[in-house]
Amino acid sequence: CNEGQMTSFARLARRIHKYDAKIFLQLYHPGKETTVANLGGKAPVCPSQMKTRSGEMTRALSTEEVEAMVQKFVKSAVLAQKAGIDGVEVHAAHGYLINQFMTPLFNKRTDKYGGSFENRMRFPSEIISGIRAACGSDYVISVRISADEFIEGVRAKLPELPDQKAARYQRDFGLSAYDARHLVEHRATVRFFEACMAEAGDAAGKLAKPVAN
């Protein structure tokens, strides 16, 4: 969301609110899940330099660029709120940029945004905390997270999937809901996310539920 889009989003929000409905805006960055052609000849960015699905080489973001990216996410949420959007969903699933920072499969950084689990979680945590601080305690913030990355060999290598461990970590950052992907065949995982959000809801004093899909 940027200043140029606010008028259109505000008009859309007003129309939807006329029918006693709510509207949410999803915030995401593709990271390596794009192409050089889509970026006008520029290399896609990623936590660490690696090839995209199409074999193109990415560029690793500098520490300063990651810090600036956090503020871009926060600014987008603030603009959405000003336009009358009822809440935002931070897209941290499906192999996009935030998800790339969270998993050790793609994040090989050695600065404060890589290495340990807490460091890999720093990027999404700063985004969520920044939005909460800027938009207030009552603004709805959801996070879309993958319950399973469906990458061959991951379950054998990692005792707990990165996104499941992230759910435990993020529940203390004032989330309103989880949009948990890929739960249909993993009922134990559904129960796990429900427990996480129940604890988050108790702590926040508000309703918090996972959205299974």
Side-chain angles (χ1 to χ4, degrees), residues 186-202:
H186 301 283
R187 304 318 301 173
T189 307
V190 172
R191 291 192 293 272
F192 167 82
F193 275 90
E194 287 175 343
C196 282
M197 291 316 299
E199 292 183 26
D202 289 342

mmCIF file with all atom_site columns, all heavy atoms in Angstrom, residues 186-202:
data_model
loop_
_atom_site.group_PDB
_atom_site.id
_atom_site.type_symbol
_atom_site.label_atom_id
_atom_site.label_alt_id
_atom_site.label_comp_id
_atom_site.label_asym_id
_atom_site.label_entity_id
_atom_site.label_seq_id
_atom_site.pdbx_PDB_ins_code
_atom_site.Cartn_x
_atom_site.Cartn_y
_atom_site.Cartn_z
_atom_site.occupancy
_atom_site.B_iso_or_equiv
_atom_site.pdbx_formal_charge
_atom_site.auth_seq_id
_atom_site.auth_comp_id
_atom_site.auth_asym_id
_atom_site.auth_atom_id
_atom_site.pdbx_PDB_model_num
ATOM 1   N N   . HIS A 1 186 ? -3.042 -32.353 8.204  1.00 0.00 ? 186 HIS A N   1
ATOM 2   C CA  . HIS A 1 186 ? -2.212 -32.393 9.407  1.00 0.00 ? 186 HIS A CA  1
ATOM 3   C C   . HIS A 1 186 ? -3.048 -31.959 10.607 1.00 0.00 ? 186 HIS A C   1
ATOM 4   O O   . HIS A 1 186 ? -2.925 -30.846 11.098 1.00 0.00 ? 186 HIS A O   1
ATOM 5   C CB  . HIS A 1 186 ? -0.982 -31.479 9.244  1.00 0.00 ? 186 HIS A CB  1
ATOM 6   C CG  . HIS A 1 186 ? -0.128 -31.853 8.075  1.00 0.00 ? 186 HIS A CG  1
ATOM 7   N ND1 . HIS A 1 186 ? 0.733  -32.922 8.092  1.00 0.00 ? 186 HIS A ND1 1
ATOM 8   C CD2 . HIS A 1 186 ? -0.015 -31.321 6.844  1.00 0.00 ? 186 HIS A CD2 1
ATOM 9   C CE1 . HIS A 1 186 ? 1.341  -33.026 6.915  1.00 0.00 ? 186 HIS A CE1 1
ATOM 10  N NE2 . HIS A 1 186 ? 0.902  -32.065 6.148  1.00 0.00 ? 186 HIS A NE2 1
ATOM 11  N N   . ARG A 1 187 ? -3.923 -32.853 11.092 1.00 0.00 ? 187 ARG A N   1
ATOM 12  C CA  . ARG A 1 187 ? -4.814 -32.488 12.176 1.00 0.00 ? 187 ARG A CA  1
ATOM 13  C C   . ARG A 1 187 ? -4.050 -32.192 13.468 1.00 0.00 ? 187 ARG A C   1
ATOM 14  O O   . ARG A 1 187 ? -4.458 -31.343 14.264 1.00 0.00 ? 187 ARG A O   1
ATOM 15  C CB  . ARG A 1 187 ? -5.834 -33.607 12.415 1.00 0.00 ? 187 ARG A CB  1
ATOM 16  C CG  . ARG A 1 187 ? -6.658 -33.985 11.200 1.00 0.00 ? 187 ARG A CG  1
ATOM 17  C CD  . ARG A 1 187 ? -7.141 -32.795 10.391 1.00 0.00 ? 187 ARG A CD  1
ATOM 18  N NE  . ARG A 1 187 ? -7.969 -31.874 11.172 1.00 0.00 ? 187 ARG A NE  1
ATOM 19  C CZ  . ARG A 1 187 ? -8.391 -30.709 10.723 1.00 0.00 ? 187 ARG A CZ  1
ATOM 20  N NH1 . ARG A 1 187 ? -8.056 -30.296 9.521  1.00 0.00 ? 187 ARG A NH1 1
ATOM 21  N NH2 . ARG A 1 187 ? -9.142 -29.925 11.480 1.00 0.00 ? 187 ARG A NH2 1
ATOM 22  N N   . ALA A 1 188 ? -2.938 -32.893 13.679 1.00 0.00 ? 188 ALA A N   1
ATOM 23  C CA  . ALA A 1 188 ? -2.136 -32.609 14.871 1.00 0.00 ? 188 ALA A CA  1
ATOM 24  C C   . ALA A 1 188 ? -1.602 -31.182 14.808 1.00 0.00 ? 188 ALA A C   1
ATOM 25  O O   . ALA A 1 188 ? -1.518 -30.484 15.820 1.00 0.00 ? 188 ALA A O   1
ATOM 26  C CB  . ALA A 1 188 ? -0.985 -33.602 14.998 1.00 0.00 ? 188 ALA A CB  1
ATOM 27  N N   . THR A 1 189 ? -1.246 -30.741 13.610 1.00 0.00 ? 189 THR A N   1
ATOM 28  C CA  . THR A 1 189 ? -0.752 -29.382 13.438 1.00 0.00 ? 189 THR A CA  1
ATOM 29  C C   . THR A 1 189 ? -1.868 -28.373 13.671 1.00 0.00 ? 189 THR A C   1
ATOM 30  O O   . THR A 1 189 ? -1.643 -27.294 14.225 1.00 0.00 ? 189 THR A O   1
ATOM 31  C CB  . THR A 1 189 ? -0.161 -29.198 12.031 1.00 0.00 ? 189 THR A CB  1
ATOM 32  O OG1 . THR A 1 189 ? 0.810  -30.218 11.808 1.00 0.00 ? 189 THR A OG1 1
ATOM 33  C CG2 . THR A 1 189 ? 0.506  -27.840 11.896 1.00 0.00 ? 189 THR A CG2 1
ATOM 34  N N   . VAL A 1 190 ? -3.077 -28.706 13.241 1.00 0.00 ? 190 VAL A N   1
ATOM 35  C CA  . VAL A 1 190 ? -4.221 -27.834 13.508 1.00 0.00 ? 190 VAL A CA  1
ATOM 36  C C   . VAL A 1 190 ? -4.378 -27.630 15.012 1.00 0.00 ? 190 VAL A C   1
ATOM 37  O O   . VAL A 1 190 ? -4.535 -26.502 15.493 1.00 0.00 ? 190 VAL A O   1
ATOM 38  C CB  . VAL A 1 190 ? -5.519 -28.433 12.921 1.00 0.00 ? 190 VAL A CB  1
ATOM 39  C CG1 . VAL A 1 190 ? -6.719 -27.610 13.374 1.00 0.00 ? 190 VAL A CG1 1
ATOM 40  C CG2 . VAL A 1 190 ? -5.447 -28.475 11.409 1.00 0.00 ? 190 VAL A CG2 1
ATOM 41  N N   . ARG A 1 191 ? -4.316 -28.717 15.766 1.00 0.00 ? 191 ARG A N   1
ATOM 42  C CA  . ARG A 1 191 ? -4.453 -28.618 17.215 1.00 0.00 ? 191 ARG A CA  1
ATOM 43  C C   . ARG A 1 191 ? -3.325 -27.784 17.818 1.00 0.00 ? 191 ARG A C   1
ATOM 44  O O   . ARG A 1 191 ? -3.525 -27.027 18.765 1.00 0.00 ? 191 ARG A O   1
ATOM 45  C CB  . ARG A 1 191 ? -4.479 -30.015 17.832 1.00 0.00 ? 191 ARG A CB  1
ATOM 46  C CG  . ARG A 1 191 ? -5.746 -30.809 17.497 1.00 0.00 ? 191 ARG A CG  1
ATOM 47  C CD  . ARG A 1 191 ? -5.855 -32.058 18.350 1.00 0.00 ? 191 ARG A CD  1
ATOM 48  N NE  . ARG A 1 191 ? -4.817 -33.027 18.053 1.00 0.00 ? 191 ARG A NE  1
ATOM 49  C CZ  . ARG A 1 191 ? -4.923 -33.959 17.103 1.00 0.00 ? 191 ARG A CZ  1
ATOM 50  N NH1 . ARG A 1 191 ? -6.016 -34.028 16.357 1.00 0.00 ? 191 ARG A NH1 1
ATOM 51  N NH2 . ARG A 1 191 ? -3.945 -34.811 16.893 1.00 0.00 ? 191 ARG A NH2 1
ATOM 52  N N   . PHE A 1 192 ? -2.128 -27.908 17.229 1.00 0.00 ? 192 PHE A N   1
ATOM 53  C CA  . PHE A 1 192 ? -0.976 -27.134 17.693 1.00 0.00 ? 192 PHE A CA  1
ATOM 54  C C   . PHE A 1 192 ? -1.238 -25.637 17.526 1.00 0.00 ? 192 PHE A C   1
ATOM 55  O O   . PHE A 1 192 ? -1.051 -24.841 18.446 1.00 0.00 ? 192 PHE A O   1
ATOM 56  C CB  . PHE A 1 192 ? 0.268  -27.546 16.896 1.00 0.00 ? 192 PHE A CB  1
ATOM 57  C CG  . PHE A 1 192 ? 1.442  -26.619 17.061 1.00 0.00 ? 192 PHE A CG  1
ATOM 58  C CD1 . PHE A 1 192 ? 2.279  -26.726 18.154 1.00 0.00 ? 192 PHE A CD1 1
ATOM 59  C CD2 . PHE A 1 192 ? 1.701  -25.642 16.117 1.00 0.00 ? 192 PHE A CD2 1
ATOM 60  C CE1 . PHE A 1 192 ? 3.355  -25.876 18.309 1.00 0.00 ? 192 PHE A CE1 1
ATOM 61  C CE2 . PHE A 1 192 ? 2.768  -24.785 16.263 1.00 0.00 ? 192 PHE A CE2 1
ATOM 62  C CZ  . PHE A 1 192 ? 3.600  -24.903 17.361 1.00 0.00 ? 192 PHE A CZ  1
ATOM 63  N N   . PHE A 1 193 ? -1.706 -25.235 16.337 1.00 0.00 ? 193 PHE A N   1
ATOM 64  C CA  . PHE A 1 193 ? -1.957 -23.817 16.080 1.00 0.00 ? 193 PHE A CA  1
ATOM 65  C C   . PHE A 1 193 ? -3.112 -23.300 16.930 1.00 0.00 ? 193 PHE A C   1
ATOM 66  O O   . PHE A 1 193 ? -3.094 -22.167 17.409 1.00 0.00 ? 193 PHE A O   1
ATOM 67  C CB  . PHE A 1 193 ? -2.235 -23.576 14.591 1.00 0.00 ? 193 PHE A CB  1
ATOM 68  C CG  . PHE A 1 193 ? -0.997 -23.400 13.782 1.00 0.00 ? 193 PHE A CG  1
ATOM 69  C CD1 . PHE A 1 193 ? -0.373 -24.489 13.192 1.00 0.00 ? 193 PHE A CD1 1
ATOM 70  C CD2 . PHE A 1 193 ? -0.422 -22.159 13.612 1.00 0.00 ? 193 PHE A CD2 1
ATOM 71  C CE1 . PHE A 1 193 ? 0.782  -24.337 12.449 1.00 0.00 ? 193 PHE A CE1 1
ATOM 72  C CE2 . PHE A 1 193 ? 0.740  -21.996 12.868 1.00 0.00 ? 193 PHE A CE2 1
ATOM 73  C CZ  . PHE A 1 193 ? 1.339  -23.078 12.280 1.00 0.00 ? 193 PHE A CZ  1
ATOM 74  N N   . GLU A 1 194 ? -4.121 -24.133 17.124 1.00 0.00 ? 194 GLU A N   1
ATOM 75  C CA  . GLU A 1 194 ? -5.242 -23.729 17.967 1.00 0.00 ? 194 GLU A CA  1
ATOM 76  C C   . GLU A 1 194 ? -4.769 -23.456 19.390 1.00 0.00 ? 194 GLU A C   1
ATOM 77  O O   . GLU A 1 194 ? -5.198 -22.494 20.025 1.00 0.00 ? 194 GLU A O   1
ATOM 78  C CB  . GLU A 1 194 ? -6.312 -24.810 17.964 1.00 0.00 ? 194 GLU A CB  1
ATOM 79  C CG  . GLU A 1 194 ? -7.085 -24.890 16.645 1.00 0.00 ? 194 GLU A CG  1
ATOM 80  C CD  . GLU A 1 194 ? -8.053 -26.054 16.626 1.00 0.00 ? 194 GLU A CD  1
ATOM 81  O OE1 . GLU A 1 194 ? -7.893 -26.966 17.471 1.00 0.00 ? 194 GLU A OE1 1
ATOM 82  O OE2 . GLU A 1 194 ? -8.955 -26.058 15.769 1.00 0.00 ? 194 GLU A OE2 1
ATOM 83  N N   . ALA A 1 195 ? -3.871 -24.300 19.890 1.00 0.00 ? 195 ALA A N   1
ATOM 84  C CA  . ALA A 1 195 ? -3.340 -24.115 21.239 1.00 0.00 ? 195 ALA A CA  1
ATOM 85  C C   . ALA A 1 195 ? -2.518 -22.835 21.330 1.00 0.00 ? 195 ALA A C   1
ATOM 86  O O   . ALA A 1 195 ? -2.628 -22.070 22.295 1.00 0.00 ? 195 ALA A O   1
ATOM 87  C CB  . ALA A 1 195 ? -2.491 -25.320 21.637 1.00 0.00 ? 195 ALA A CB  1
ATOM 88  N N   . CYS A 1 196 ? -1.717 -22.575 20.292 1.00 0.00 ? 196 CYS A N   1
ATOM 89  C CA  . CYS A 1 196 ? -0.904 -21.355 20.269 1.00 0.00 ? 196 CYS A CA  1
ATOM 90  C C   . CYS A 1 196 ? -1.779 -20.111 20.338 1.00 0.00 ? 196 CYS A C   1
ATOM 91  O O   . CYS A 1 196 ? -1.538 -19.188 21.108 1.00 0.00 ? 196 CYS A O   1
ATOM 92  C CB  . CYS A 1 196 ? -0.048 -21.308 18.998 1.00 0.00 ? 196 CYS A CB  1
ATOM 93  S SG  . CYS A 1 196 ? 1.412  -22.365 19.041 1.00 0.00 ? 196 CYS A SG  1
ATOM 94  N N   . MET A 1 197 ? -2.820 -20.074 19.512 1.00 0.00 ? 197 MET A N   1
ATOM 95  C CA  . MET A 1 197 ? -3.652 -18.890 19.443 1.00 0.00 ? 197 MET A CA  1
ATOM 96  C C   . MET A 1 197 ? -4.561 -18.775 20.657 1.00 0.00 ? 197 MET A C   1
ATOM 97  O O   . MET A 1 197 ? -4.928 -17.681 21.058 1.00 0.00 ? 197 MET A O   1
ATOM 98  C CB  . MET A 1 197 ? -4.458 -18.886 18.152 1.00 0.00 ? 197 MET A CB  1
ATOM 99  C CG  . MET A 1 197 ? -3.603 -18.686 16.899 1.00 0.00 ? 197 MET A CG  1
ATOM 100 S SD  . MET A 1 197 ? -2.343 -17.382 17.053 1.00 0.00 ? 197 MET A SD  1
ATOM 101 C CE  . MET A 1 197 ? -3.360 -15.933 17.372 1.00 0.00 ? 197 MET A CE  1
ATOM 102 N N   . ALA A 1 198 ? -4.920 -19.900 21.270 1.00 0.00 ? 198 ALA A N   1
ATOM 103 C CA  . ALA A 1 198 ? -5.698 -19.849 22.506 1.00 0.00 ? 198 ALA A CA  1
ATOM 104 C C   . ALA A 1 198 ? -4.892 -19.157 23.599 1.00 0.00 ? 198 ALA A C   1
ATOM 105 O O   . ALA A 1 198 ? -5.406 -18.311 24.332 1.00 0.00 ? 198 ALA A O   1
ATOM 106 C CB  . ALA A 1 198 ? -6.101 -21.250 22.935 1.00 0.00 ? 198 ALA A CB  1
ATOM 107 N N   . GLU A 1 199 ? -3.605 -19.516 23.681 1.00 0.00 ? 199 GLU A N   1
ATOM 108 C CA  . GLU A 1 199 ? -2.735 -18.881 24.669 1.00 0.00 ? 199 GLU A CA  1
ATOM 109 C C   . GLU A 1 199 ? -2.549 -17.407 24.351 1.00 0.00 ? 199 GLU A C   1
ATOM 110 O O   . GLU A 1 199 ? -2.552 -16.550 25.232 1.00 0.00 ? 199 GLU A O   1
ATOM 111 C CB  . GLU A 1 199 ? -1.385 -19.588 24.716 1.00 0.00 ? 199 GLU A CB  1
ATOM 112 C CG  . GLU A 1 199 ? -1.450 -20.999 25.278 1.00 0.00 ? 199 GLU A CG  1
ATOM 113 C CD  . GLU A 1 199 ? -0.090 -21.644 25.367 1.00 0.00 ? 199 GLU A CD  1
ATOM 114 O OE1 . GLU A 1 199 ? 0.901  -20.908 25.468 1.00 0.00 ? 199 GLU A OE1 1
ATOM 115 O OE2 . GLU A 1 199 ? -0.012 -22.885 25.327 1.00 0.00 ? 199 GLU A OE2 1
ATOM 116 N N   . ALA A 1 200 ? -2.386 -17.087 23.061 1.00 0.00 ? 200 ALA A N   1
ATOM 117 C CA  . ALA A 1 200 ? -2.229 -15.690 22.659 1.00 0.00 ? 200 ALA A CA  1
ATOM 118 C C   . ALA A 1 200 ? -3.494 -14.912 22.964 1.00 0.00 ? 200 ALA A C   1
ATOM 119 O O   . ALA A 1 200 ? -3.449 -13.776 23.429 1.00 0.00 ? 200 ALA A O   1
ATOM 120 C CB  . ALA A 1 200 ? -1.903 -15.609 21.163 1.00 0.00 ? 200 ALA A CB  1
ATOM 121 N N   . GLY A 1 201 ? -4.647 -15.527 22.725 1.00 0.00 ? 201 GLY A N   1
ATOM 122 C CA  . GLY A 1 201 ? -5.918 -14.870 22.987 1.00 0.00 ? 201 GLY A CA  1
ATOM 123 C C   . GLY A 1 201 ? -6.111 -14.613 24.466 1.00 0.00 ? 201 GLY A C   1
ATOM 124 O O   . GLY A 1 201 ? -6.578 -13.552 24.871 1.00 0.00 ? 201 GLY A O   1
ATOM 125 N N   . ASP A 1 202 ? -5.733 -15.565 25.313 1.00 0.00 ? 202 ASP A N   1
ATOM 126 C CA  . ASP A 1 202 ? -5.848 -15.389 26.752 1.00 0.00 ? 202 ASP A CA  1
ATOM 127 C C   . ASP A 1 202 ? -4.970 -14.240 27.227 1.00 0.00 ? 202 ASP A C   1
ATOM 128 O O   . ASP A 1 202 ? -5.360 -13.428 28.054 1.00 0.00 ? 202 ASP A O   1
ATOM 129 C CB  . ASP A 1 202 ? -5.435 -16.677 27.481 1.00 0.00 ? 202 ASP A CB  1
ATOM 130 C CG  . ASP A 1 202 ? -6.458 -17.790 27.287 1.00 0.00 ? 202 ASP A CG  1
ATOM 131 O OD1 . ASP A 1 202 ? -7.601 -17.475 26.899 1.00 0.00 ? 202 ASP A OD1 1
ATOM 132 O OD2 . ASP A 1 202 ? -6.101 -18.958 27.507 1.00 0.00 ? 202 ASP A OD2 1
#
